[in-house]
Amino acid sequence: MNKKNFEAFTNLSALKKNAIQVCGQEFIDSLTKKGLYAKDSQFWTEVNKELNIPDDAYESKQAREKAERERQLLEKKAKEQAEEERLLANKKEIRIENRKGWKIVVFELSESDTFGKKFIAQSTKKPNLEKITGFSNTKGDAYSQACSFVDQFEIQQENLRIFQEHYAVMKPLYLMIIYLSSGDNHNKYLNNNNNRDKSKENFTGVSFWNGFEFKIIDTLVAEGLLEISERKTTLTMNKKGMKLARDILKKLILME
């Protein structure tokens, strides 16, 4: 760290010749007489003291450089945003389409951006969904970007809808199976009596560490309700098993 503090404060590499440059030959010779050389950390400690270099010079420089980078980045983003707003202020509609409940409007700018692009598209869907594409070279590219966003968004929404419907059915089943297949957990440090006290005061929940009991799985396989692959990597419920599962669900009023 002493070398880094020297370099941060002086903007010079931590070399003996540079130490001589800023401290003088006489001072460096005095360190050499003491057996301190540029390879030693103590050498740079003495040099830093001579120059009154703070112990946090390196950290301070790093913080200043980071702050400056962040300032420049914010300034760059502000300029880019201002330029984009200026270009968009003079746009005109050249194409309007409807797609999957979305309204897609393609605009042409009055002038191109720095990359020669002058088309953009906006996708909106009531009540409050909106997406603006990046600048494009052609109106077709802008429209394609908007369509791609709409299609991907709707696919994600459909997948979410399917999952939620599936989860609504599976949630109670998983909870029942886990609850019935689990063992009680107790806090052994509460009401401890040789770790044998399992009262409601120290009950913390149930554990489901080992998954389904293999004995039950084997029995279901033996009854012809489940089928397991030769390498035991895939477990399949056959039609007989599915019929029985449906009958159970109907009794629980989970299926019609």
Side-chain angles (χ1 to χ4, degrees):
M1 184 59 71
N2 290 328
K3 288 185 177 182
K4 289 185 177 181
N5 285 334
F6 174 84
E7 293 174 340
F9 190 81
T10 64
N11 290 320
L12 298 171
S13 299
L15 301 172
K16 182 179 179 179
K17 65 177 182 178
N18 291 332
I20 293 174
Q21 177 184 333
V22 294
C23 294
Q25 185 69 55
E26 184 178 351
F27 177 77
I28 299 303
D29 288 344
S30 69
L31 296 181
T32 303
K33 289 179 181 179
K34 295 178 183 179
L36 298 177
Y37 301 94
K39 65 180 181 179
D40 302 318
S41 176
Q42 186 62 30
F43 175 91
W44 295 103
T45 298
E46 297 299 327
V47 168
N48 291 349
K49 287 181 180 178
E50 178 69 13
L51 298 174
N52 293 319
I53 296 177
D55 292 337
D56 64 344
Y58 176 72
E59 288 86 351
S60 297
K61 183 179 180 181
Q62 293 290 96
R64 290 194 302 271
E65 291 176 346
K66 180 180 178 181
E68 178 61 18
R69 288 194 300 270
E70 291 176 348
R71 185 195 66 78
Q72 292 178 0
L73 181 61
L74 289 174
E75 184 177 304
K76 180 182 178 182
K77 288 183 177 179
K79 289 181 179 179
E80 290 175 348
Q81 183 175 353
E83 175 63 10
E84 182 175 316
E85 290 174 354
R86 186 186 71 82
L87 293 172
L88 292 175
N90 299 309
K91 65 182 183 297
K92 65 176 181 179
E93 295 181 2
I94 59 174
R95 181 178 180 181
I96 300 176
E97 300 285 348
N98 291 312
R99 187 180 183 88
K100 299 181 179 179
W102 289 75
K103 179 182 178 182
I104 299 178
V105 181
V106 180
F107 298 94
E108 182 177 5
L109 310 179
S110 60
E111 59 181 289
S112 302
D113 67 358
T114 55
F115 300 101
K117 300 177 180 180
K118 60 182 303 185
F119 297 94
I120 197 168
Q122 182 181 49
S123 306
T124 56
K125 184 177 184 179
K126 295 181 179 180
N128 55 4
L129 294 175
E130 180 179 290
K131 175 68 174 180
I132 298 177
T133 68
F135 294 150
S136 300
N137 290 312
T138 67
K139 59 183 180 182
D141 288 342
Y143 179 71
S144 294
Q145 283 189 37
C147 290
S148 179
F149 165 76
V150 168
D151 292 345
Q152 291 178 12
F153 182 89
E154 292 301 322
I155 289 173
Q156 290 175 353
Q157 292 301 109
E158 178 63 13
N159 289 338
L160 177 61
R161 184 191 65 77
I162 292 172
F163 169 77
Q164 289 174 337
E165 290 182 353
H166 178 68
Y167 180 71
V169 175
M170 298 305 296
K171 180 180 178 180
L173 296 178
Y174 269 68
L175 290 176
M176 286 188 294
I177 293 171
I178 291 172
Y179 178 77
L180 295 172
S181 304
S182 303
D184 291 352
N185 268 354
H186 293 82
N187 189 328
K188 64 180 181 181
Y189 298 106
L190 296 177
N191 300 322
N192 190 11
N193 182 18
N194 296 324
N195 293 329
R196 291 177 294 181
D197 185 7
K198 296 183 178 180
S199 61
K200 64 180 181 180
E201 286 76 13
N202 66 2
F203 177 77
T204 59
V206 294
S207 294
F208 188 69
W209 297 107
N210 299 320
F212 297 106
E213 292 183 29
F214 291 116
K215 188 173 182 179
I216 294 178
I217 295 297
D218 290 340
T219 302
L220 292 172
V221 171
E223 291 180 1
L225 302 174
L226 299 179
E227 297 174 2
I228 194 166
S229 63
E230 292 183 2
R231 296 184 179 181
K232 297 187 177 181
T233 56
T234 304
L235 189 66
T236 304
M237 178 178 286
N238 55 32
K239 292 182 178 180
K240 181 179 178 181
M242 287 189 287
K243 182 179 183 305
L244 182 56
R246 290 194 184 97
D247 292 339
I248 295 172
L249 291 172
K250 289 177 182 177
K251 292 179 180 179
L252 294 174
I253 319 178
L254 292 176
M255 290 184 64
E256 296 180 356

